[in-house]
Amino acid sequence: MKIGELSTATQVSRRLLRYYEEQGLIAPKRSQNTYRDYDERMVDRVFQIRGLLEMGFPTRVIRQILPCLDQERVIHMNDVTPEMLSMLEAEASGLDEKIRFLVKNRDAIREYIAEVRQRHTVPTGA
């Protein structure tokens, strides 16, 4: 897939995709005419990167933990610091709290929907 296709599939600009490449977050193959050629798996990778950036992770940390999100689980430990481990532990705890919050809200919404359906005839597509 070309950079424009990846950009469309992920809603991430070509410029930002090039930045991710510069930061070592994604690595396209190069065709004979030197065009970037992205594997289909890069769509998920870009979504992972976006999510980690939205959580406040810097790209240097994302580069370290991205391999942990792959099935192969190759972990690079060349410049892991105690501070980085502490930050990752705090992030993991924060994610646990967010997950509990999301599950609670999801369950409340489902209960509300069930109650409304029980009391009123509401079309299922509404």
Side-chain angles (χ1 to χ4, degrees):
M1 130 180 7
K2 302 294 181 244
I3 193 167
E5 295 168 314
L6 182 60
S7 175
T8 299
T10 60
Q11 299 297 302
V12 172
S13 72
R14 294 175 189 198
R15 181 176 179 209
L16 198 49
L17 292 172
R18 286 186 202 98
Y19 173 75
Y20 292 167
E21 183 180 348
E22 290 170 9
Q23 296 298 307
L25 302 177
I26 59 175
K29 295 176 186 168
R30 293 288 184 157
S31 62
Q32 287 181 335
N33 59 6
T34 70
Y35 289 166
R36 290 170 175 87
D37 187 21
Y38 294 94
D39 185 278
E40 292 289 328
R41 293 174 297 182
M42 283 297 117
V43 173
D44 287 335
R45 171 58 55 101
V46 171
F47 286 134
Q48 288 174 327
I49 293 166
R50 297 298 309 151
L52 292 167
L53 286 168
E54 288 172 7
M55 290 171 29
F57 283 97
T59 56
R60 68 177 172 75
V61 174
I62 294 172
R63 186 173 46 254
Q64 290 266 320
I65 64 175
L66 275 176
C68 298
L69 302 175
D70 290 336
Q71 292 179 352
E72 295 176 7
R73 301 286 180 181
V74 177
I75 299 175
H76 303 277
M77 298 187 292
N78 52 345
D79 60 352
V80 176
T81 64
E83 294 79 18
M84 182 183 295
L85 286 175
S86 179
M87 192 236 352
L88 291 174
E89 289 169 344
E91 279 299 323
S93 294
L95 286 173
D96 288 338
E97 187 58 35
K98 288 176 186 177
I99 289 168
R100 281 190 291 278
F101 178 76
L102 290 170
V103 166
K104 181 179 177 182
N105 285 344
R106 180 205 58 202
D107 292 348
I109 289 169
R110 285 184 176 162
E111 289 174 20
Y112 178 80
I113 291 169
E115 184 69 26
V116 168
R117 289 198 188 285
Q118 184 179 2
R119 292 180 185 208
H120 306 286
T121 304
V122 178
T124 53

